[in-house]
Amino acid sequence: LHMVDRISKIPGVSCLKPEGAFYVMMNIKSLYGKSCNGTVINSADDFAQCFLDEKLVAVVPGTAFYADGYVRWSYATSLENINEGMDRLEEFISTLK
């Protein structure tokens, strides 16, 4: 799965290959404590909000699924959109302090 391959190459995040679903749960726990324009990321909700604000990419916080420390990506879209989202993710993570 292309999205899983892209995520696995990005330092600080990881995921498992989904089994029949159309989404990927990405582990962001190693990003906790980093800051995004003065906001400290302490939860999946913080990450999702900062990522949306900074890169205009929406992910669903894992807290909605009792999985804090994870965000959910949908891959029910074009490969072009997936690549754009992954590029924005790489840029976003590189700016965290």
Side-chain angles (χ1 to χ4, degrees):
L1 189 62
H2 182 70
M3 183 178 280
V4 171
D5 292 340
R6 287 286 308 264
I7 290 171
S8 69
K9 293 176 183 169
I10 301 172
V13 294
S14 63
C15 68
L16 297 174
K17 185 175 179 184
E19 307 249 345
F22 59 91
Y23 57 86
V24 171
M25 295 296 283
M26 183 177 75
N27 184 330
I28 58 161
K29 292 176 188 173
S30 72
L31 303 177
Y32 283 9
K34 295 189 181 254
S35 66
C36 161
N37 283 333
T39 299
V40 178
I41 297 172
N42 290 315
S43 68
D45 296 274
D46 294 341
F47 177 91
Q49 188 62 57
C50 286
F51 191 32
L52 179 61
D53 292 345
E54 295 298 313
K55 292 297 181 181
L56 305 177
V57 176
V59 293
V60 179
T63 48
F65 310 100
Y66 303 101
D68 193 27
Y70 293 82
V71 293
R72 187 170 96 163
W73 287 85
S74 172
Y75 58 85
T77 187
S78 69
L79 190 57
E80 179 182 352
N81 285 342
I82 290 170
N83 282 328
E84 180 67 25
M86 294 294 103
D87 290 347
R88 291 182 187 195
L89 175 65
E90 287 182 63
E91 291 170 9
F92 176 71
I93 290 174
S94 74
T95 66
L96 298 178
K97 297 177 177 142

